[in-house]
Amino acid sequence: MARQYRGLNNPAGICDFGASDDVNVEYAVDNNFYYIPDQAFQLPDIPAHLQPLGGEEHPLLREPYQEFPAKWTGNGSRLAKPNSDDWYETVKVNYGVRPDGSKDFPILPEDYRDKSHQAHFEFWQHKQVPNSWTKFRDIALYWISQGVDGFRYDMAEMVPVEFWSFMNSSIKAMNQMLFWLQKCINHIYIEIISS
């Protein structure tokens, strides 16, 4: 997600990602982002040959970007001043995976690999899921209600399989013919989420 994300026309009662986060902790299951408490974000030192726009000044960069506390980068760097090859222009969304890699959501049983989206939908009923999951689901359901009939998601392998099970089954409960494209680089992951 873009580091400066904000909704410009949220429906009544809907708040932006991160608006209700506890920014005093690195992780909380219902935070939408991961934080580096008590440290301000700093732009990385970028080598001269990698300067954006060839070093040409950009009006949006005249004022220094400010973020406090700093958030993890999209590729998971936990540095307040990430390296120039980190995805520093993006932030890592919290899908309920703790910083130690353990999961704060129900684990999908192995045999669900071959089950229908209806079975996946039933599995998630009455289960507690992270706030980011419901936000993404609600965004997709909103756009489906507006007539959108397909979605494309990048870097799907960076998100837990359980989220895709929840998301796919939730939106297919509303529209079974929905087109769903997930970009994956890791071929093993493709096999897991193909149902």
Side-chain angles (χ1 to χ4, degrees), residues 105-151:
F105 49 81
I107 303 302
L108 198 62
E110 181 65 29
D111 66 333
Y112 270 71
R113 180 183 294 225
D114 301 316
K115 293 193 184 269
S116 68
H117 68 270
Q118 293 95 339
H120 284 256
F121 184 79
E122 287 301 318
F123 176 85
W124 292 109
Q125 296 308 295
H126 312 295
K127 290 199 171 53
Q128 190 73 24
V129 297
N131 180 269
S132 296
W133 293 26
T134 56
K135 270 190 166 65
F136 279 119
R137 179 206 58 205
D138 293 347
I139 290 167
L141 294 178
Y142 168 80
W143 286 109
I144 291 168
S145 75
Q146 300 299 306
V148 170
D149 62 359
F151 295 92

Short mmCIF file of all heavy atoms in Angstrom, two decimals, residues 105-151:
data_model
loop_
_atom_site.label_atom_id
_atom_site.label_comp_id
_atom_site.label_asym_id
_atom_site.label_seq_id
_atom_site.Cartn_x
_atom_site.Cartn_y
_atom_site.Cartn_z
N PHE A 105 -4.59 -15.82 13.44
CA PHE A 105 -5.86 -16.14 12.81
C PHE A 105 -5.93 -17.65 12.67
O PHE A 105 -4.91 -18.34 12.76
CB PHE A 105 -5.99 -15.46 11.43
CG PHE A 105 -4.80 -15.64 10.54
CD1 PHE A 105 -4.62 -16.80 9.79
CD2 PHE A 105 -3.83 -14.64 10.45
CE1 PHE A 105 -3.51 -16.97 8.98
CE2 PHE A 105 -2.72 -14.80 9.63
CZ PHE A 105 -2.57 -15.97 8.90
N PRO A 106 -7.13 -18.20 12.46
CA PRO A 106 -7.25 -19.66 12.30
C PRO A 106 -6.48 -20.15 11.08
O PRO A 106 -6.46 -19.51 10.03
CB PRO A 106 -8.75 -19.88 12.12
CG PRO A 106 -9.40 -18.65 12.69
CD PRO A 106 -8.43 -17.52 12.45
N ILE A 107 -5.84 -21.30 11.23
CA ILE A 107 -5.08 -21.91 10.13
C ILE A 107 -6.04 -22.77 9.31
O ILE A 107 -6.82 -23.55 9.85
CB ILE A 107 -3.93 -22.78 10.68
CG1 ILE A 107 -3.00 -21.93 11.57
CG2 ILE A 107 -3.16 -23.44 9.54
CD1 ILE A 107 -2.39 -20.75 10.90
N LEU A 108 -5.96 -22.60 8.01
CA LEU A 108 -6.82 -23.37 7.10
C LEU A 108 -6.33 -24.82 7.04
O LEU A 108 -5.14 -25.06 6.78
CB LEU A 108 -6.75 -22.73 5.72
CG LEU A 108 -7.84 -23.06 4.71
CD1 LEU A 108 -9.20 -22.61 5.20
CD2 LEU A 108 -7.52 -22.40 3.38
N PRO A 109 -7.20 -25.79 7.29
CA PRO A 109 -6.77 -27.20 7.21
C PRO A 109 -6.28 -27.54 5.80
O PRO A 109 -6.76 -27.01 4.80
CB PRO A 109 -8.06 -27.98 7.53
CG PRO A 109 -8.90 -27.01 8.31
CD PRO A 109 -8.60 -25.66 7.73
N GLU A 110 -5.31 -28.44 5.73
CA GLU A 110 -4.66 -28.82 4.47
C GLU A 110 -5.68 -29.30 3.43
O GLU A 110 -5.54 -29.02 2.24
CB GLU A 110 -3.62 -29.90 4.73
CG GLU A 110 -2.86 -30.35 3.50
CD GLU A 110 -1.98 -29.29 2.87
OE1 GLU A 110 -1.50 -28.39 3.59
OE2 GLU A 110 -1.78 -29.34 1.64
N ASP A 111 -6.71 -30.03 3.86
CA ASP A 111 -7.66 -30.59 2.89
C ASP A 111 -8.54 -29.53 2.23
O ASP A 111 -9.26 -29.82 1.28
CB ASP A 111 -8.52 -31.69 3.53
CG ASP A 111 -9.45 -31.19 4.61
OD1 ASP A 111 -9.14 -30.16 5.25
OD2 ASP A 111 -10.49 -31.84 4.83
N TYR A 112 -8.47 -28.28 2.69
CA TYR A 112 -9.26 -27.22 2.06
C TYR A 112 -8.69 -26.81 0.71
O TYR A 112 -9.33 -26.12 -0.06
CB TYR A 112 -9.37 -26.00 2.99
CG TYR A 112 -10.58 -26.12 3.88
CD1 TYR A 112 -10.62 -27.05 4.90
CD2 TYR A 112 -11.71 -25.33 3.66
CE1 TYR A 112 -11.73 -27.18 5.70
CE2 TYR A 112 -12.83 -25.45 4.45
CZ TYR A 112 -12.84 -26.38 5.47
OH TYR A 112 -13.95 -26.52 6.25
N ARG A 113 -7.51 -27.29 0.39
CA ARG A 113 -6.90 -27.03 -0.92
C ARG A 113 -7.83 -27.47 -2.04
O ARG A 113 -7.87 -26.87 -3.11
CB ARG A 113 -5.58 -27.78 -1.00
CG ARG A 113 -4.82 -27.62 -2.28
CD ARG A 113 -3.58 -28.45 -2.27
NE ARG A 113 -2.65 -27.93 -1.27
CZ ARG A 113 -1.36 -27.75 -1.46
NH1 ARG A 113 -0.82 -28.07 -2.62
NH2 ARG A 113 -0.59 -27.28 -0.54
N ASP A 114 -8.61 -28.53 -1.79
CA ASP A 114 -9.48 -29.11 -2.82
C ASP A 114 -10.96 -28.83 -2.59
O ASP A 114 -11.81 -29.44 -3.23
CB ASP A 114 -9.25 -30.63 -2.89
CG ASP A 114 -7.81 -30.96 -3.23
OD1 ASP A 114 -7.25 -30.30 -4.14
OD2 ASP A 114 -7.23 -31.84 -2.58
N LYS A 115 -11.28 -27.94 -1.67
CA LYS A 115 -12.69 -27.67 -1.37
C LYS A 115 -13.20 -26.45 -2.15
O LYS A 115 -12.44 -25.61 -2.60
CB LYS A 115 -12.87 -27.47 0.14
CG LYS A 115 -12.60 -28.74 0.93
CD LYS A 115 -13.09 -28.61 2.34
CE LYS A 115 -12.73 -29.84 3.14
NZ LYS A 115 -13.74 -30.85 3.13
N SER A 116 -14.50 -26.38 -2.27
CA SER A 116 -15.16 -25.31 -3.02
C SER A 116 -15.11 -23.98 -2.25
O SER A 116 -14.86 -23.96 -1.04
CB SER A 116 -16.62 -25.68 -3.25
OG SER A 116 -17.31 -25.67 -2.00
N HIS A 117 -15.41 -22.91 -2.98
CA HIS A 117 -15.46 -21.61 -2.31
C HIS A 117 -16.58 -21.57 -1.27
O HIS A 117 -16.48 -20.87 -0.28
CB HIS A 117 -15.57 -20.45 -3.32
CG HIS A 117 -16.86 -20.38 -4.05
ND1 HIS A 117 -17.06 -21.03 -5.25
CD2 HIS A 117 -18.01 -19.74 -3.77
CE1 HIS A 117 -18.29 -20.78 -5.68
NE2 HIS A 117 -18.88 -20.00 -4.79
N GLN A 118 -17.64 -22.37 -1.48
CA GLN A 118 -18.72 -22.42 -0.49
C GLN A 118 -18.20 -23.02 0.82
O GLN A 118 -18.54 -22.53 1.91
CB GLN A 118 -19.91 -23.25 -1.00
CG GLN A 118 -20.64 -22.62 -2.17
CD GLN A 118 -20.15 -23.16 -3.52
OE1 GLN A 118 -19.05 -23.70 -3.64
NE2 GLN A 118 -20.98 -22.98 -4.55
N ALA A 119 -17.38 -24.07 0.73
CA ALA A 119 -16.81 -24.68 1.94
C ALA A 119 -15.87 -23.70 2.64
O ALA A 119 -15.87 -23.62 3.88
CB ALA A 119 -16.07 -25.97 1.58
N HIS A 120 -15.11 -22.96 1.85
CA HIS A 120 -14.23 -21.95 2.45
C HIS A 120 -15.06 -20.87 3.15
O HIS A 120 -14.72 -20.43 4.26
CB HIS A 120 -13.33 -21.32 1.39
CG HIS A 120 -12.20 -22.20 0.97
ND1 HIS A 120 -10.91 -22.00 1.37
CD2 HIS A 120 -12.17 -23.31 0.17
CE1 HIS A 120 -10.13 -22.92 0.85
NE2 HIS A 120 -10.86 -23.72 0.11
N PHE A 121 -16.15 -20.44 2.52
CA PHE A 121 -17.02 -19.43 3.11
C PHE A 121 -17.56 -19.92 4.45
O PHE A 121 -17.55 -19.19 5.44
CB PHE A 121 -18.17 -19.09 2.15
CG PHE A 121 -19.06 -17.99 2.65
CD1 PHE A 121 -18.67 -16.67 2.53
CD2 PHE A 121 -20.28 -18.27 3.23
CE1 PHE A 121 -19.48 -15.64 2.99
CE2 PHE A 121 -21.11 -17.25 3.68
CZ PHE A 121 -20.70 -15.93 3.56
N GLU A 122 -18.01 -21.16 4.48
CA GLU A 122 -18.53 -21.74 5.74
C GLU A 122 -17.45 -21.81 6.81
O GLU A 122 -17.71 -21.57 7.99
CB GLU A 122 -19.12 -23.13 5.50
CG GLU A 122 -20.45 -23.10 4.75
CD GLU A 122 -21.52 -22.30 5.49
OE1 GLU A 122 -21.63 -22.43 6.73
OE2 GLU A 122 -22.24 -21.54 4.82
N PHE A 123 -16.22 -22.15 6.41
CA PHE A 123 -15.12 -22.24 7.36
C PHE A 123 -14.92 -20.92 8.10
O PHE A 123 -14.67 -20.90 9.31
CB PHE A 123 -13.82 -22.63 6.64
CG PHE A 123 -12.61 -22.64 7.54
CD1 PHE A 123 -12.31 -23.77 8.30
CD2 PHE A 123 -11.76 -21.54 7.65
CE1 PHE A 123 -11.21 -23.79 9.14
CE2 PHE A 123 -10.66 -21.55 8.48
CZ PHE A 123 -10.39 -22.68 9.23
N TRP A 124 -15.03 -19.79 7.38
CA TRP A 124 -14.74 -18.49 7.98
C TRP A 124 -15.89 -17.88 8.75
O TRP A 124 -15.70 -16.89 9.48
CB TRP A 124 -14.24 -17.52 6.91
CG TRP A 124 -12.90 -17.94 6.40
CD1 TRP A 124 -12.61 -18.47 5.17
CD2 TRP A 124 -11.68 -17.94 7.13
NE1 TRP A 124 -11.28 -18.79 5.10
CE2 TRP A 124 -10.68 -18.47 6.28
CE3 TRP A 124 -11.32 -17.54 8.41
CZ2 TRP A 124 -9.36 -18.60 6.68
CZ3 TRP A 124 -9.99 -17.67 8.81
CH2 TRP A 124 -9.03 -18.20 7.96
N GLN A 125 -17.08 -18.46 8.64
CA GLN A 125 -18.21 -17.91 9.38
C GLN A 125 -17.96 -18.02 10.88
O GLN A 125 -17.50 -19.04 11.37
CB GLN A 125 -19.50 -18.64 9.00
CG GLN A 125 -19.90 -18.46 7.55
CD GLN A 125 -19.96 -17.01 7.14
OE1 GLN A 125 -20.77 -16.24 7.63
NE2 GLN A 125 -19.07 -16.62 6.23
N HIS A 126 -18.21 -16.94 11.60
CA HIS A 126 -18.09 -16.88 13.06
C HIS A 126 -16.65 -17.01 13.55
O HIS A 126 -16.43 -17.34 14.72
CB HIS A 126 -18.99 -17.92 13.74
CG HIS A 126 -20.39 -17.91 13.20
ND1 HIS A 126 -21.24 -16.84 13.36
CD2 HIS A 126 -21.07 -18.82 12.47
CE1 HIS A 126 -22.38 -17.10 12.76
NE2 HIS A 126 -22.31 -18.29 12.20
N LYS A 127 -15.67 -16.80 12.67
CA LYS A 127 -14.27 -16.81 13.09
C LYS A 127 -13.77 -15.36 13.15
O LYS A 127 -14.13 -14.54 12.31
CB LYS A 127 -13.42 -17.64 12.15
CG LYS A 127 -13.72 -19.14 12.27
CD LYS A 127 -12.61 -19.97 11.71
CE LYS A 127 -12.77 -21.44 12.00
NZ LYS A 127 -14.01 -22.07 11.63
N GLN A 128 -12.94 -15.10 14.13
CA GLN A 128 -12.33 -13.77 14.28
C GLN A 128 -11.17 -13.64 13.29
O GLN A 128 -10.30 -14.51 13.25
CB GLN A 128 -11.82 -13.62 15.72
CG GLN A 128 -11.38 -12.24 16.08
CD GLN A 128 -12.54 -11.28 16.26
OE1 GLN A 128 -13.65 -11.69 16.55
NE2 GLN A 128 -12.29 -10.01 16.06
N VAL A 129 -11.19 -12.59 12.49
CA VAL A 129 -10.11 -12.35 11.53
C VAL A 129 -9.56 -10.94 11.76
O VAL A 129 -10.25 -10.07 12.30
CB VAL A 129 -10.58 -12.52 10.06
CG1 VAL A 129 -11.03 -13.95 9.80
CG2 VAL A 129 -11.67 -11.53 9.71
N PRO A 130 -8.33 -10.68 11.33
CA PRO A 130 -7.74 -9.35 11.49
C PRO A 130 -8.54 -8.26 10.77
O PRO A 130 -9.17 -8.50 9.74
CB PRO A 130 -6.34 -9.50 10.88
CG PRO A 130 -6.03 -10.96 11.02
CD PRO A 130 -7.35 -11.65 10.81
N ASN A 131 -8.46 -7.06 11.30
CA ASN A 131 -9.19 -5.91 10.76
C ASN A 131 -8.86 -5.65 9.30
O ASN A 131 -9.74 -5.28 8.52
CB ASN A 131 -8.89 -4.68 11.62
CG ASN A 131 -9.61 -3.45 11.13
OD1 ASN A 131 -9.08 -2.69 10.32
ND2 ASN A 131 -10.82 -3.24 11.62
N SER A 132 -7.60 -5.83 8.90
CA SER A 132 -7.22 -5.59 7.50
C SER A 132 -8.01 -6.50 6.56
O SER A 132 -8.36 -6.09 5.45
CB SER A 132 -5.72 -5.82 7.29
OG SER A 132 -4.98 -4.88 8.03
N TRP A 133 -8.29 -7.73 6.99
CA TRP A 133 -9.04 -8.67 6.15
C TRP A 133 -10.43 -8.12 5.87
O TRP A 133 -10.88 -8.13 4.72
CB TRP A 133 -9.17 -10.02 6.83
CG TRP A 133 -7.94 -10.82 7.02
CD1 TRP A 133 -6.65 -10.37 7.11
CD2 TRP A 133 -7.88 -12.23 7.17
NE1 TRP A 133 -5.81 -11.43 7.31
CE2 TRP A 133 -6.53 -12.57 7.36
CE3 TRP A 133 -8.84 -13.24 7.18
CZ2 TRP A 133 -6.11 -13.89 7.54
CZ3 TRP A 133 -8.43 -14.54 7.37
CH2 TRP A 133 -7.07 -14.87 7.54
N THR A 134 -11.11 -7.66 6.90
CA THR A 134 -12.48 -7.17 6.70
C THR A 134 -12.49 -5.87 5.90
O THR A 134 -13.40 -5.66 5.10
CB THR A 134 -13.23 -7.01 8.03
OG1 THR A 134 -12.51 -6.13 8.89
CG2 THR A 134 -13.42 -8.35 8.73
N LYS A 135 -11.47 -5.05 6.07
CA LYS A 135 -11.39 -3.81 5.28
C LYS A 135 -11.26 -4.14 3.79
O LYS A 135 -11.98 -3.58 2.96
CB LYS A 135 -10.20 -2.96 5.73
CG LYS A 135 -10.51 -1.97 6.84
CD LYS A 135 -9.34 -1.03 7.02
CE LYS A 135 -9.67 0.17 7.84
NZ LYS A 135 -10.02 -0.01 9.21
N PHE A 136 -10.34 -5.05 3.45
CA PHE A 136 -10.17 -5.42 2.04
C PHE A 136 -11.44 -6.08 1.49
O PHE A 136 -11.85 -5.81 0.36
CB PHE A 136 -8.97 -6.35 1.85
CG PHE A 136 -7.65 -5.62 1.79
CD1 PHE A 136 -6.67 -5.87 2.73
CD2 PHE A 136 -7.39 -4.70 0.79
CE1 PHE A 136 -5.45 -5.21 2.67
CE2 PHE A 136 -6.17 -4.04 0.72
CZ PHE A 136 -5.20 -4.29 1.68
N ARG A 137 -12.06 -6.95 2.29
CA ARG A 137 -13.30 -7.59 1.84
C ARG A 137 -14.37 -6.54 1.56
O ARG A 137 -15.04 -6.57 0.53
CB ARG A 137 -13.80 -8.58 2.90
CG ARG A 137 -15.11 -9.26 2.49
CD ARG A 137 -15.94 -9.73 3.66
NE ARG A 137 -16.27 -8.64 4.56
CZ ARG A 137 -16.55 -8.82 5.84
NH1 ARG A 137 -16.54 -10.01 6.39
NH2 ARG A 137 -16.84 -7.78 6.60
N ASP A 138 -14.53 -5.61 2.49
CA ASP A 138 -15.56 -4.59 2.34
C ASP A 138 -15.31 -3.70 1.13
O ASP A 138 -16.24 -3.28 0.45
CB ASP A 138 -15.70 -3.77 3.62
CG ASP A 138 -16.24 -4.59 4.78
OD1 ASP A 138 -16.75 -5.72 4.56
OD2 ASP A 138 -16.16 -4.11 5.93
N ILE A 139 -14.04 -3.41 0.85
CA ILE A 139 -13.71 -2.62 -0.35
C ILE A 139 -14.13 -3.39 -1.60
O ILE A 139 -14.77 -2.84 -2.50
CB ILE A 139 -12.20 -2.28 -0.39
CG1 ILE A 139 -11.86 -1.27 0.70
CG2 ILE A 139 -11.80 -1.77 -1.77
CD1 ILE A 139 -10.36 -1.11 0.95
N ALA A 140 -13.78 -4.67 -1.66
CA ALA A 140 -14.15 -5.49 -2.83
C ALA A 140 -15.67 -5.59 -2.96
O ALA A 140 -16.21 -5.45 -4.06
CB ALA A 140 -13.53 -6.88 -2.72
N LEU A 141 -16.37 -5.82 -1.85
CA LEU A 141 -17.83 -5.93 -1.92
C LEU A 141 -18.47 -4.62 -2.37
O LEU A 141 -19.45 -4.63 -3.12
CB LEU A 141 -18.40 -6.38 -0.57
CG LEU A 141 -18.02 -7.80 -0.13
CD1 LEU A 141 -18.60 -8.10 1.25
CD2 LEU A 141 -18.46 -8.84 -1.15
N TYR A 142 -17.90 -3.50 -1.95
CA TYR A 142 -18.41 -2.20 -2.41
C TYR A 142 -18.29 -2.10 -3.93
O TYR A 142 -19.25 -1.74 -4.61
CB TYR A 142 -17.64 -1.06 -1.74
CG TYR A 142 -17.93 0.28 -2.39
CD1 TYR A 142 -19.09 0.98 -2.07
CD2 TYR A 142 -17.07 0.82 -3.34
CE1 TYR A 142 -19.38 2.19 -2.68
CE2 TYR A 142 -17.35 2.03 -3.96
CZ TYR A 142 -18.50 2.71 -3.63
OH TYR A 142 -18.79 3.91 -4.24
N TRP A 143 -17.10 -2.44 -4.46
CA TRP A 143 -16.91 -2.31 -5.91
C TRP A 143 -17.74 -3.32 -6.69
O TRP A 143 -18.22 -3.01 -7.79
CB TRP A 143 -15.42 -2.39 -6.27
CG TRP A 143 -14.73 -1.12 -5.88
CD1 TRP A 143 -13.85 -0.93 -4.86
CD2 TRP A 143 -14.94 0.16 -6.48
NE1 TRP A 143 -13.49 0.40 -4.80
CE2 TRP A 143 -14.14 1.10 -5.78
CE3 TRP A 143 -15.72 0.63 -7.53
CZ2 TRP A 143 -14.10 2.45 -6.12
CZ3 TRP A 143 -15.68 1.98 -7.87
CH2 TRP A 143 -14.88 2.87 -7.16
N ILE A 144 -17.96 -4.49 -6.14
CA ILE A 144 -18.85 -5.46 -6.79
C ILE A 144 -20.27 -4.88 -6.86
O ILE A 144 -20.93 -4.99 -7.89
CB ILE A 144 -18.84 -6.81 -6.04
CG1 ILE A 144 -17.48 -7.49 -6.22
CG2 ILE A 144 -19.96 -7.72 -6.54
CD1 ILE A 144 -17.27 -8.68 -5.29
N SER A 145 -20.69 -4.23 -5.78
CA SER A 145 -22.03 -3.62 -5.77
C SER A 145 -22.15 -2.49 -6.79
O SER A 145 -23.24 -2.14 -7.21
CB SER A 145 -22.41 -3.11 -4.38
OG SER A 145 -21.71 -1.90 -4.07
N GLN A 146 -21.01 -1.93 -7.22
CA GLN A 146 -20.98 -0.87 -8.22
C GLN A 146 -20.86 -1.43 -9.64
O GLN A 146 -20.76 -0.67 -10.60
CB GLN A 146 -19.83 0.09 -7.94
CG GLN A 146 -19.90 0.78 -6.59
CD GLN A 146 -21.14 1.62 -6.44
OE1 GLN A 146 -21.44 2.48 -7.27
NE2 GLN A 146 -21.90 1.38 -5.39
N GLY A 147 -20.80 -2.77 -9.77
CA GLY A 147 -20.75 -3.39 -11.09
C GLY A 147 -19.39 -3.93 -11.51
O GLY A 147 -19.26 -4.49 -12.60
N VAL A 148 -18.37 -3.77 -10.69
CA VAL A 148 -17.05 -4.32 -11.02
C VAL A 148 -17.16 -5.85 -11.00
O VAL A 148 -17.77 -6.42 -10.09
CB VAL A 148 -15.98 -3.81 -10.03
CG1 VAL A 148 -14.67 -4.55 -10.21
CG2 VAL A 148 -15.79 -2.31 -10.20
N ASP A 149 -16.57 -6.51 -12.00
CA ASP A 149 -16.70 -7.97 -12.07
C ASP A 149 -15.36 -8.69 -12.10
O ASP A 149 -15.26 -9.85 -12.47
CB ASP A 149 -17.55 -8.39 -13.27
CG ASP A 149 -16.94 -7.97 -14.60
OD1 ASP A 149 -15.87 -7.34 -14.59
OD2 ASP A 149 -17.54 -8.29 -15.64
N GLY A 150 -14.29 -7.98 -11.70
CA GLY A 150 -12.99 -8.63 -11.65
C GLY A 150 -11.98 -7.81 -10.86
O GLY A 150 -12.12 -6.60 -10.74
N PHE A 151 -11.01 -8.52 -10.30
CA PHE A 151 -9.96 -7.88 -9.51
C PHE A 151 -8.62 -8.51 -9.85
O PHE A 151 -8.53 -9.69 -10.15
CB PHE A 151 -10.20 -8.07 -8.00
CG PHE A 151 -11.43 -7.38 -7.51
CD1 PHE A 151 -12.64 -8.06 -7.45
CD2 PHE A 151 -11.39 -6.06 -7.10
CE1 PHE A 151 -13.78 -7.43 -7.00
CE2 PHE A 151 -12.54 -5.42 -6.64
CZ PHE A 151 -13.74 -6.12 -6.60
#
